[in-house]
Amino acid sequence: MPNRVVYWNGNFIPEIEARVSIFDSALMFGDMVFEMTRSFGRKPFRLREHLERLYASLDYVEIDCGLTIDKMESVTHEAIEKNLPELEGFDFQIMHDVTRGSGELYDTLVKEGTDPIVSINMLPLVRHTGGLADKYVSGGHLVVTPQQAVPARYIDPKAKNRSRLHYQLANLHASRMESGAMAVLTDERGFIAEGTGSNVFIVQDGQILTPKPHDILRGVSRQACMDFANELGIPVVEADIDPYDCRTADEIWLTSTPFAMIPISRFDFRTVGEGKPGPVYTRVLSAWSEEVGVDIAKQAQEYAGLMQTWKP
Ligand SMILES: Cc1ncc(COP(=O)(O)O)c(C=O)c1O
């Protein structure tokens, strides 16, 4: 049994004891926001950016978590420090979850009371990235699903929330199309929006394009990818991209916190470019790996090797 601890409303408790009530608004309504940061070389990557997005999400859903952003940052570092011995040898996720808490209706039934619950947990990334290791080498298959993105005027996807049924349905559609396929959602006009946990980039004639930041979560890795590309002198343009552009693109990749960048070698059952990770993808991922001092693709291979024996 792992001895990791979880920050839980001002205390540190064993991970196994961190449980929300069946009356919590998160379970009742998906009424909560969250963040997932990761470490590289056991140091959090762009933690402040993740926390700024968390506080923007909290503001959007009108939850007062009771902590300033500075306090949230310092308890996060404290939680990391406490868990470092248990996370020995691994990079890890740093998950911030904030639920609205349970409604007044259930006030006598919930031992922790009706206030919002703030929790912060850490978990090695072995399964997250190990399971994707082969995709860094041969590329993933990205398919457009019938399930579309939720327009920002309904529930704004810029707020990272757990009302994620539409992403799950898109994943189901994709896996029915082909086992292991990854889903991409279009917006209501038919333009590419985002993956179910990732942002999309394509390359056309040496230029990198990514969807405009409207009906998407504005990924921290999306921004990091744009920063690394800019440092390499490769222009990045935010544009309306339709599935036709993806079909004719030289390269496609996805960005997301756990895996940084995954290349796409097939789009809707057709080969992308040369059918393998392209030169622009490779350059940007190398710049990223160099900056954080971790060979990101190689680490995924190492974690893939551990997956059979390692238990969370
Ligand atoms: C819907 C969605 N889009 C994009 C992303 C990528 O965001 P980030 O790079 O901050 O991990 C995520 C991450 O979970 C996501 O859930």
Side-chain angles (χ1 to χ4, degrees):
M1 187 66 69
N3 289 317
R4 291 181 298 263
V5 292
V6 171
Y7 172 86
W8 189 268
N9 272 3
N11 299 307
F12 287 94
I13 61 171
E15 182 186 272
I16 195 78
E17 286 171 21
R19 297 279 182 270
V20 291
S21 160
I22 54 167
F23 302 111
D24 193 280
S25 201
L27 188 82
M28 303 279 266
F29 305 109
D31 177 14
M32 62 176 294
V33 295
F34 73 110
E35 266 311 312
M36 176 165 169
T37 309
R38 70 158 285 174
S39 70
F40 285 111
R42 295 160 56 75
K43 293 194 181 60
F45 180 67
R46 299 199 175 194
L47 174 62
R48 189 71 188 194
E49 283 93 323
H50 280 283
L51 293 182
E52 278 163 8
R53 189 172 64 185
L54 177 66
Y55 276 72
S57 303
L58 285 166
D59 187 52
Y60 177 73
V61 298
E62 301 181 31
I63 293 178
D64 176 1
C65 76
L67 301 177
T68 64
I69 187 168
D70 290 338
K71 180 70 181 167
M72 185 71 89
E73 191 170 24
S74 69
V75 293
T76 304
H77 285 297
E78 206 185 330
I80 294 171
E81 279 302 309
K82 285 191 187 300
N83 280 301
L84 271 184
E86 275 293 311
L87 301 164
E88 186 63 46
F90 294 112
D91 272 314
F92 46 87
Q93 73 171 33
I94 304 152
M95 186 78 83
H96 292 84
D97 284 307
V98 184
T99 86
R100 195 180 299 279
S102 61
E104 302 265 304
L105 207 55
Y106 312 104
D107 58 352
T108 56
L109 299 171
V110 183
K111 66 176 169 34
E112 52 277 337
T114 54
D115 286 345
I117 295 172
V118 178
S119 69
I120 311 172
N121 72 69
M122 268 122 251
L123 193 65
L125 286 168
V126 175
R127 289 186 174 178
H128 298 72
T129 63
L132 294 168
D134 58 331
K135 293 198 165 48
Y136 288 94
V137 182
S138 49
H141 182 198
L142 191 64
V143 290
V144 177
T145 58
Q147 173 63 55
Q148 292 194 289
V150 173
R153 68 175 184 283
Y154 298 149
I155 298 177
D156 200 323
K158 295 172 204 83
K160 195 167 162 80
N161 67 85
R162 294 251 195 230
S163 299
R164 296 174 82 82
L165 195 55
H166 59 301
Y167 296 128
Q168 290 296 73
L169 289 174
N171 285 336
L172 282 173
H173 295 161
S175 60
R176 265 205 300 273
M177 289 182 201
E178 187 180 273
S179 165
M182 301 163 99
V184 67
L185 290 81
T186 49
D187 65 20
E188 55 190 339
R189 302 160 308 158
F191 293 120
I192 298 293
E194 61 181 347
T196 55
S198 60
N199 293 115
V200 180
F201 286 79
I202 72 170
V203 177
Q204 273 179 343
D205 302 325
Q207 189 178 53
I208 304 177
L209 304 173
T210 192
K212 288 181 183 168
H214 302 314
D215 291 332
I216 62 168
L217 182 75
R218 295 171 178 169
V220 173
S221 333
R222 174 183 184 269
Q223 187 57 51
C225 181
M226 293 199 279
D227 294 344
F228 291 126
N230 282 331
E231 280 164 26
L232 292 168
I234 313 170
V236 183
V237 176
E238 294 178 324
D240 284 333
I241 298 170
D242 56 32
Y244 179 88
D245 298 316
C246 294
R247 262 178 236 126
T248 53
D250 303 318
E251 298 183 35
I252 306 179
W253 65 79
L254 303 178
T255 59
S256 186
T257 291
F259 57 70
M261 296 170 68
I262 288 284
I264 297 299
S265 53
R266 279 193 304 151
F267 180 84
D268 266 352
F269 296 86
R270 295 179 202 210
T271 304
V272 175
E274 313 241 310
K276 55 181 189 186
V280 181
Y281 166 83
T282 306
R283 278 183 72 198
V284 180
L285 184 66
S286 301
W288 195 326
S289 292
E290 204 170 304
E291 169 79 18
V292 297
V294 172
D295 183 329
I296 295 169
K298 190 160 156 247
Q299 183 185 61
Q301 305 298 336
E302 286 162 14
Y303 287 177
L306 293 173
M307 270 175 65
Q308 298 305 323
T309 49
W310 183 84
K311 298 268 177 299

